Amino acid sequence: NTHSPDYSRLINYKIKKKKSKRPIVTFLDGPGPYFTNDFDLFNEKISYNKRKWYSDLNRFLLKIKKKYSCDILIIPHPKVKRSKNPYYNKQFKVINDLDAVHKFIPISKFVISIAASTAVGLASACNKPILLIYNNQIKKINPTLLSSIKFLSKKYQTNLFNLNNNNEVLIKSTSKSYNEKILYKYMTSKKISKLKNYDIFNNILLNRYS
């Protein structure tokens, strides 16, 4: 009966999107390990090696930048958007706009995520390839996060890549028909696809109080 909040906002940005001069690859980051993450909030203390985590991540993203001749845009988790992460390589642009995912995912070549982020749904809605990644630290000490990433990979039919491996990075495209199947199962429905959430709620209120 209503859109997911992310998809409702995406409808506006689909109309406003502009083409970029140079290909863009968007990286969706989680709050941790530099900032407090959900595991910390529930007293599940996971001791990552932060310096190695971001060193490995930067090396991987630089490899993507070189291979695809693209600009890497890092979109931090919403709850840490106003805080600076000093570990990011200075070659990458960090986008702290509140609507960054809605502005840049539609014009991205593909989208990378390491945080099992629900924002990958927007990539699917925009028919953008998704690459889900993890590292040896996640594999060794955080099976819960790895399980979540694997679940998303299966659900969105993406490649799952350990960035600590030296294997060739392969980006898998998902068919438009499958992306539409995901879209109408989890984010919206055909009967409301042209409406914004505020239109839907307004109609409910008008019918209830008229």
Side-chain angles (χ1 to χ4, degrees):
N1 295 321
T2 60
H3 309 291
S4 70
D6 275 346
Y7 185 74
S8 183
R9 299 171 76 178
L10 178 67
I11 297 172
N12 287 324
Y13 289 101
K14 276 188 174 182
I15 299 171
K16 299 174 184 178
K17 68 179 182 180
K18 298 179 181 179
K19 290 185 177 181
S20 174
K21 294 180 181 178
R22 181 175 164 88
I24 290 172
V25 170
T26 297
F27 171 64
L28 304 174
D29 202 4
Y34 182 71
F35 299 104
T36 299
N37 58 35
D38 292 344
F39 294 97
D40 296 321
L41 295 175
F42 289 98
N43 291 320
E44 295 183 35
K45 300 297 182 182
I46 300 175
S47 299
Y48 292 114
N49 182 329
K50 296 179 184 179
R51 186 174 298 278
K52 177 169 174 53
W53 175 291
Y54 290 103
S55 175
D56 291 343
L57 176 63
N58 287 329
R59 189 180 304 110
F60 172 76
L61 293 178
L62 285 171
K63 182 163 68 173
I64 293 292
K65 176 182 172 74
K66 180 178 179 181
K67 178 176 180 178
Y68 292 97
S69 300
C70 63
D71 290 328
I72 301 292
L73 301 184
I74 296 177
I75 301 181
H77 191 274
K79 65 183 176 185
V80 298
K81 278 186 178 294
R82 297 307 177 195
S83 303
K84 184 178 180 180
N85 186 333
Y87 285 105
Y88 291 142
N89 189 293
K90 298 299 187 292
Q91 292 190 46
F92 309 139
K93 187 173 183 180
V94 181
I95 309 296
N96 287 308
D97 298 0
L98 291 177
D99 293 326
V101 291
H102 304 89
K103 293 179 181 178
F104 293 103
I105 284 179
I107 60 172
S108 294
K109 186 178 182 70
F110 57 91
V111 174
I112 303 172
S113 178
I114 197 172
S117 172
T118 56
V120 297
L122 297 180
S124 177
C126 295
N127 292 307
K128 300 296 179 178
I130 302 164
L131 178 63
L132 296 178
I133 62 175
Y134 63 100
N135 56 36
N136 285 341
Q137 294 192 72
I138 293 175
K139 183 177 180 181
K140 184 178 180 179
I141 62 178
N142 195 345
T144 301
L145 177 56
L146 182 58
S147 177
S148 297
I149 296 172
K150 285 182 176 180
F151 174 81
L152 281 185
S153 178
K154 182 178 180 180
K155 185 64 62 176
Y156 288 101
Q157 296 188 344
T158 75
N159 278 343
L160 184 61
F161 188 81
N162 184 339
L163 57 80
N164 289 123
N165 292 341
N166 292 320
N167 299 335
E168 186 71 14
V169 180
L170 298 175
I171 307 301
K172 179 182 178 182
S173 295
T174 307
S175 69
K176 185 175 181 180
S177 60
Y178 185 80
N179 283 332
E180 286 184 351
K181 179 181 176 180
I182 292 294
L183 176 68
Y184 293 128
K185 186 173 183 179
Y186 295 107
M187 289 175 273
T188 186
S189 66
K190 291 183 179 180
K191 67 180 181 180
I192 60 169
S193 61
K194 303 300 181 182
L195 297 173
K196 312 295 189 303
N197 268 355
Y198 57 77
D199 293 322
I200 296 169
F201 294 136
N202 189 50
N203 289 336
I204 292 172
L205 290 172
L206 287 174
N207 291 332
R208 179 172 298 175
Y209 296 108
S210 60

